[in-house]
Each structure stands twice: as C-alpha cells, then as structure tokens.
Amino acid sequence: MRRLLCIVLIGFITPAIGLGQVALKTNDQINGYKVVPQEGIFVHANSSLFLTGEYLYYKVYCLERGSGDLSKLSKIAYIELIGTGGKAVFKHKILLEKGAGHGDFFVPTDIVSGGYKLVAYTSWMRNQDQSEFYQSDITIINPYLANQGRLQKVVLSKIDSLGKPKKKDDEKKSTVTGTISKEGGPMDLTLKRTRFKKREKVSLFFQDKDNSEILEGNYSISVRKKDGIPAPAQLGMLDFFEKNDASNIKPSVAIGDTVYLPELRGELFSGKIIALQGNRSVQNLKVALCIPGEDYFFEVVETDELGNFHLNIDGYYSGEKAVVQVLSVNAEGYEVQLGEQKPLDHSKLFFEGIRIDSSMREKILQRSIHNQIENSYFQFRPDSILSNPLRQFSDNKEKEVYLLDDYVRFKTVRETIVEIIKDVSHKRVDKDNEAIRIKGFDYTQVTDLPPLILMDGCLIQDNNALLEFDARTIEAMTVLRHRLVFGPEVFQGALIIRTKVGDGYEQFQKNGAISMEGITKPQPNKKYFVQQYDGINPVDSKYRLPDDRLQLLWIPKFSLRDGQTQLDFFTSDVSGEFEIHLEGLTYDSRPVSIRKSIYVD
C-alpha cells in the first residue's frame, strides 16, 4: 500500500504554489488524487477543563476514513488550541508513528479564562472542509486574574468575579461534567474493588468480552480527579467511528486547482530561490537546509526550473530555526525564501459557553492549591524525553574529536588548525580567498572537493571568516575524513564545530542568499512519570514528599502487548472520585472507549 501511494504521489510533483501545495495539471493527477484515501483525526485529551498550572495531555490518532485503520499516509499531524477571535494559544507538530503520536501543553498563568477549541488535522486533510477537522471544546479557568470578563460575558454578565453571588436567574445554568456519549468496545476493564486509601496501589485488569486472550492494540489511558466543576463534553472513539465511517468522499477537483500534499515521508519543507539579476538561472541550484541545535538536521537539495525546492525531515530535531542557503560562489546574486504554511481561517469556529458560578469557588480554590503544591515538587516527579534524534553521521572510529580545553588555547581557528587539528589544512586559492581542506584516507590522492563545515549544526561556507573566528569560544571540533554525500552534493570529509554557547553560526548569516526563519519543532516523545510506592519505606525522604497529584496516571502509548492483562498505579494524598478513561483501537481496528470510577478515602 505504501509503495502504491508513493507512485501515485510522484504524479503530483509540479511547481509549488505554497508550502506543501501543488497545482493539478493533468487528468492523471486528478485520478491519482482520488486514489489516495482521506484521513480523519481523533484526539484523546486527559480532560476538557483546566486551571492554569495544569497540563493538557493528548494522544492523536490519525485514521483512514472509511476503513478506520490507523493511517500509514501522513507522518505529521498538527494540533492547535484556538481562543475566541481565532488566535492560536499554541500550534504543535506531532510526529506520527504508525498513525499515532502524543504531546502536552502546560497551561500558563497569563492565559485568560474562557472557552477554547482544540483543533487537529494533517496537511492532507486541508483538502477537506475545515468542519471535517477534529474539534473539541476546552474550558480554561485562571483563578489568579481578578477580571473574569470572558466568564462573565458568556454566563455571569452582571457579576464582577467568581467570588460574588450570582442572580437567581442563573441558578439553573450550570452544566454537568462532560462525558462521552458512547462507551464500550470489545474490551473490558475491571477492578477487584472501587474504594481505596491514599497512596494505595490500584490494579486494573483487561480482557476481551469473550474471555479469551487479551486484545492487543494501540491505546491511551488517563486517571484524573473528578471535582464537579462543569466541563464540556468529550467525544469518544466510538462516537468518532460513527462519524468517520460515514463516507470517504473527497472534494471535487479540476485541472488548475491546487491541493495540499500529504507529508508521506516526514515533515515537508519548501522554498524558492529568486535571482536578483534577470539573466541568472535558478534551475539546478544546490540549496542547503540546516536546522541548528543539539540534535541538528542538514540536507542538500536541487531546485527545479522555477527555483522551487522541497525536502522532507523524517524524525525529531531540537532546533527552532531553519537556515537555508545557496551553495554557490556567487550566492549573493540570489535571494532565498522559505515557504510558509498558509494559516487556517478559524473565524467560523463556534465556542461553547462555559457555565460556572460562585458555588464553584471552593472547588476551584482547592484544585488550585493542589496544583501549586504539586508544581513545587515537579523536579522529584520528572518526565523523560525518549525522542530518537536524527543521526546523520555514524559513530565510528573514523572520526577524531578534539576537546579544545585539553590543549593550549589559540586565538583563531586558523592557528588552532595549524597547531592542533590533524588532517585539516588551509590553502590560498586566489588573491582574496582561502579554502579549508580535509585529507582523505588515501594521502596520495589530491582532491579539490570542499569539506562539509558545520558550526552548531549550521553550514559555514565563508572559509575566510571561519579561519579568523575566535577559537576561544569553541568547545570541540570533530573531523571526519571519509566522503559524505547529501543529495546532489559530495563533500570530502567534514569539520564539525561545537561552540560553548551553541549559536556561533549566527554571525555568518549576513546576506540575502541566506534565510534564517523561526520554525516550530515537533513535540518530543516522552515517557510520563508514574508514581510508585512499592518498596519505599515510609520513613524514606521520597515517601515523605507531599503527593497532591490530581492526574494519577497518563500513558499515551499503552499497547497491551505480550499478553499484558494488568496495569498498576498508586493513588495520591487527594481524596474523592477519580475517573479512569481508556481510548484506542484494537489491532484489527475496533474502537474502544471505557470509563470507570474509583474513590479515594
């Protein structure tokens, strides 16, 4: 199936209109568009109501419309939190692995109370009407703001703050805490009992309803306190399947229409090279794209006849800037433009009214206190980042690493190369220019191939300026002597420079042939903290830490593999009702939505 999709999509490669957009020029391209399946997004969020200082956790499921299978098409999903007026509070990129990915958002203290919308989609879904995107209502309460205007505007128009009494007319405007409308599926979640003490182990048991072997699948699970504060209803996977299964209808297209490409091989970057003089060709120019950072990305591509270029990044990178530059001795004769994704029009979004009043004041206050205590001890319950960064240079014995603090320090890179760095040299190529060269493994072979020179993950082409660069700001220099191939470009070895601050490359980006743009990096893959009390002595300092967790458990990648039938977690020092919320799909694409309650005394 993946091979078929690749073949079909090759037919879409035409001059770009915008980032990820192409024009349909032939009937074959139109037919190819119709063959590729449509996608739908479902999002499992840990709640639909948040106070500032809490985390919004979410799992993204990208599915084929009609079949309900996890999609093998898109490798990137986008999720936005939109406020009234259409302004985005955040926009996240999610790396999809076999159709699923996850992320989180810490609700800051400067956000205003009110109703928001969680919107999720893929680039391929932008060919549909925006009403087909995933949308759910989110309520945010900021208890630290005296002016609760957005709450008052919707519900309490005559009330100045949550602390003042409401009118009798408003007594019947409260809503119940939101729930999904449908629950069930082929799986059962059972507990031996539903009442527990504080800091006690809770065991969940899973089995299919036919009492046979456990059903493997792709699930997400949340355990969170219910406090009776009204919240918007949440859509479940069963509800989503009913809507998603209705059709696989694609919008009609004609020759000349533009469509968005699916990000089949990773995140898509596009751009254009413009000649500053009319007689310069923009065809077959080599263009380097770098994303500097600790986990950096580097690639070289070639332009088409109109100066357009495209490349994909299939993996995680840590930088938040993209640097694009032309590889040419006459690079100053060109201008680089990195394509921007056309923003969505959120003006038609409908925001549900939030219905809270002064009777909720004590519950909001207590919840806020729990959050503040828990955030104070966050360093003792950290999450772990599991992202596998891009590895473009293999770790092998062929490289030499020079930690410059181990040597006598010299002022410039020129002096450092001469005195310390083996197999790297510089030579004069004409009256005004020098070139850095790296020796290959065959010392008798002379080559004028340039080396790849990266500083903090960014390509450096100006050898003259680099030779005079202050080497005292450099932490390490790594030399690779084997030839490297990136797209259409071949390099003789590489000199990889890491500065102490990590942004030394910025002083080299001074002309129009180099474009440096801010970008949004993908959400990292995380393993979220799970509190354990087994084996911890009550007199141990770890046991004596306060435990005010309202979110007892969040596992976005819960697969139930290898015959797993049990999941354990621990309650906190908070009493009350907690809801267990499981969403997901079996491996044969049957939807599962389960909610259970436990009580902590």
Side-chain angles (χ1 to χ4, degrees):
M1 178 65 177
R2 182 177 172 84
R3 181 176 176 84
L4 173 61
L5 293 177
C6 289
I7 293 172
V8 169
L9 292 170
I10 286 173
F12 286 159
I13 304 303
T14 58
I17 305 301
L19 179 59
Q21 288 181 274
V22 295
L24 299 176
K25 289 191 169 184
T26 67
N27 287 324
D28 286 342
Q29 291 174 347
I30 291 175
N31 293 332
Y33 169 81
K34 293 178 179 179
V35 168
V36 182
Q38 296 288 83
E39 294 179 321
I41 291 279
F42 172 75
V43 177
H44 174 199
N46 61 322
S47 180
S48 60
L49 182 140
F50 299 91
L51 269 61
T52 52
E54 297 181 345
Y55 274 92
L56 189 170
Y57 298 113
Y58 58 84
K59 166 79 171 280
V60 173
Y61 296 85
C62 181
L63 300 101
E64 287 186 8
R65 281 193 174 276
S67 73
D69 296 335
L70 286 167
S71 176
K72 299 177 181 178
L73 187 61
S74 293
K75 295 297 177 289
I76 299 288
Y78 301 88
I79 186 163
E80 303 181 38
L81 184 66
I82 308 299
T84 54
K87 185 177 180 181
V89 176
F90 70 76
K91 179 179 179 180
H92 289 173
K93 293 177 185 174
I94 307 299
L95 294 175
L96 297 177
E97 181 181 353
K98 297 180 180 179
H102 63 271
D104 59 66
F105 173 70
F106 181 77
V107 182
T109 56
D110 59 356
I111 196 170
V112 298
S113 302
Y116 294 81
K117 204 74 140 182
L118 199 64
V119 178
Y121 57 94
T122 64
S123 179
W124 186 238
M125 288 175 64
R126 296 191 66 169
N127 297 311
Q128 308 172 32
D129 189 272
Q130 284 185 217
S131 62
E132 298 295 321
F133 294 2
Y134 175 85
Q135 298 180 16
S136 66
D137 290 292
I138 299 289
T139 294
I140 293 178
I141 301 173
N142 188 338
Y144 308 112
L145 295 180
N147 182 5
Q148 299 289 345
R150 290 182 63 186
L151 293 176
Q152 299 163 20
K153 182 177 180 181
V154 178
V155 178
L156 310 177
S157 58
K158 300 294 182 68
I159 300 177
D160 294 327
S161 72
L162 291 176
K164 291 188 178 181
K166 61 181 180 177
K167 287 190 172 183
K168 290 184 178 180
D169 292 342
D170 295 319
E171 292 289 347
K172 297 181 180 180
K173 292 185 177 179
S174 297
T175 60
V176 296
T177 301
T179 58
I180 59 175
S181 56
K182 283 186 178 294
E183 296 182 39
M187 179 188 295
D188 250 344
L189 185 159
T190 61
L191 301 97
K192 292 184 177 179
R193 53 195 173 92
T194 59
R195 304 203 75 90
F196 297 88
K197 297 178 181 179
K198 296 175 181 178
R199 302 196 181 193
E200 185 178 0
K201 181 190 288 187
V202 180
S203 296
L204 307 180
F205 300 92
F206 304 91
Q207 66 180 49
D208 73 12
K209 291 183 177 179
D210 295 328
N211 295 318
S212 59
E213 294 184 0
I214 190 66
L215 289 170
E216 295 185 359
N218 195 324
Y219 308 101
S220 45
I221 187 167
S222 169
V223 182
R224 186 175 177 84
K225 189 175 189 306
K226 296 177 67 173
D227 51 20
I229 302 175
Q234 286 183 284
L235 183 75
M237 185 68 86
L238 268 70
D239 302 293
F240 174 78
F241 255 64
E242 284 192 0
K243 176 183 177 182
N244 186 63
D245 194 45
S247 68
N248 186 26
I249 299 173
K250 298 181 177 65
S252 59
V253 291
I255 291 177
D257 289 347
T258 61
V259 298
Y260 285 89
L261 291 173
E263 292 179 285
L264 180 67
R265 293 181 294 170
E267 184 178 354
L268 179 64
F269 281 84
S270 300
K272 189 177 183 67
I273 305 300
I274 298 174
L276 299 180
Q277 298 176 359
N279 59 349
R280 285 181 178 269
S281 173
V282 294
Q283 186 174 5
N284 298 330
L285 290 174
K286 295 173 183 177
V287 181
L289 185 142
C290 316
I291 302 179
E294 183 176 353
D295 302 318
Y296 57 82
F297 172 84
F298 172 79
E299 187 58 273
V300 180
V301 294
E302 212 164 46
T303 59
D304 64 16
E305 68 273 13
L306 297 180
N308 299 303
F309 61 88
H310 316 271
L311 61 85
N312 295 89
I313 304 178
D314 186 11
Y316 175 78
Y317 52 84
S318 60
E320 297 182 341
K321 294 178 182 177
V323 182
V324 187
Q325 49 191 301
V326 178
L327 302 185
S328 171
V329 293
N330 300 313
E332 67 278 357
Y334 300 96
E335 180 182 339
V336 177
Q337 294 180 351
L338 189 62
E340 294 183 2
Q341 195 175 62
K342 183 180 178 181
L344 295 170
D345 179 9
H346 295 300
S347 61
K348 295 182 180 179
L349 286 178
F350 173 76
F351 294 85
E352 290 284 351
I354 49 178
R355 300 172 180 271
I356 65 172
D357 52 54
S358 58
S359 66
M360 301 289 118
R361 184 184 182 191
E362 190 59 36
K363 293 178 181 179
I364 293 172
L365 176 61
Q366 191 60 48
R367 181 163 161 176
S368 179
I369 292 172
H370 287 309
N371 288 334
Q372 292 180 61
I373 295 173
E374 189 60 20
N375 287 335
S376 298
Y377 291 90
F378 181 78
Q379 69 269 30
F380 298 104
R381 301 183 178 100
D383 302 324
S384 303
I385 294 180
L386 302 176
S387 293
N388 296 318
L390 295 158
R391 297 297 182 192
Q392 297 184 284
F393 301 95
S394 60
D395 294 325
N396 53 45
K397 297 179 181 179
E398 297 175 354
K399 71 180 182 183
E400 293 283 345
V401 180
Y402 298 85
L403 300 175
L404 296 192
D405 280 346
D406 293 343
Y407 302 85
V408 175
R409 281 283 186 174
F410 293 91
K411 183 177 180 180
T412 65
V413 170
R414 180 193 303 277
E415 296 169 289
T416 302
I417 287 176
V418 171
E419 300 294 339
I420 300 174
I421 310 301
K422 183 183 176 182
D423 298 322
V424 179
S425 62
H426 61 89
K427 69 175 186 178
R428 186 164 295 280
V429 293
D430 57 41
K431 180 181 177 181
D432 300 317
N433 294 291
E434 292 184 88
I436 295 173
R437 292 290 182 261
I438 294 178
K439 297 176 183 177
F441 292 102
D442 186 353
Y443 283 89
T444 63
Q445 184 178 3
V446 179
T447 178
D448 284 328
L449 281 176
L452 172 62
I453 302 176
L454 298 176
M455 179 177 287
D456 300 319
C458 185
L459 177 68
I460 306 298
Q461 294 192 78
D462 190 342
N463 285 196
N464 293 340
L466 179 61
L467 288 168
E468 301 306 319
F469 185 81
D470 189 349
R472 294 168 295 186
T473 66
I474 295 175
E475 184 176 11
M477 301 176 76
T478 299
V479 179
L480 291 86
R481 293 169 57 198
H482 53 284
R483 288 194 176 181
L484 301 168
V485 179
F486 285 88
E489 188 73 345
V490 180
F491 298 95
Q492 175 50 55
L495 178 62
I496 302 172
I497 301 169
R498 184 173 75 245
T499 65
K500 294 179 178 179
V501 178
D503 60 0
Y505 64 90
E506 291 189 0
Q507 65 180 274
F508 294 90
Q509 323 301 318
K510 296 179 180 177
N511 59 64
I514 300 176
S515 173
M516 186 159 59
E517 304 285 346
I519 58 174
T520 301
K521 65 183 178 182
Q523 288 285 289
N525 184 18
K526 288 184 179 180
K527 180 180 180 181
Y528 293 98
F529 178 82
V530 178
Q531 179 65 56
Q532 297 288 334
Y533 285 114
D534 275 346
I536 300 180
N537 194 309
V539 300
D540 191 294
S541 59
K542 291 182 180 179
Y543 191 92
R544 288 182 287 155
L545 291 173
D547 188 351
D548 281 62
R549 289 175 298 126
L550 303 177
Q551 183 80 44
L552 300 184
L553 187 70
W554 169 251
I555 303 179
K557 297 176 70 174
F558 184 52
S559 59
L560 287 177
R561 292 177 178 172
D562 303 322
Q564 179 183 0
T565 59
Q566 181 176 334
L567 177 66
D568 300 328
F569 65 91
F570 284 83
T571 60
S572 63
D573 294 336
V574 181
S575 59
E577 181 183 0
F578 289 79
E579 183 177 64
I580 303 165
H581 181 188
L582 177 76
E583 296 284 355
L585 291 167
T586 63
Y587 281 153
D588 56 356
S589 301
R590 288 181 287 171
V592 176
S593 293
I594 300 175
R595 291 189 185 233
K596 302 277 187 178
S597 287
I598 61 172
Y599 302 87
V600 180
D601 299 319

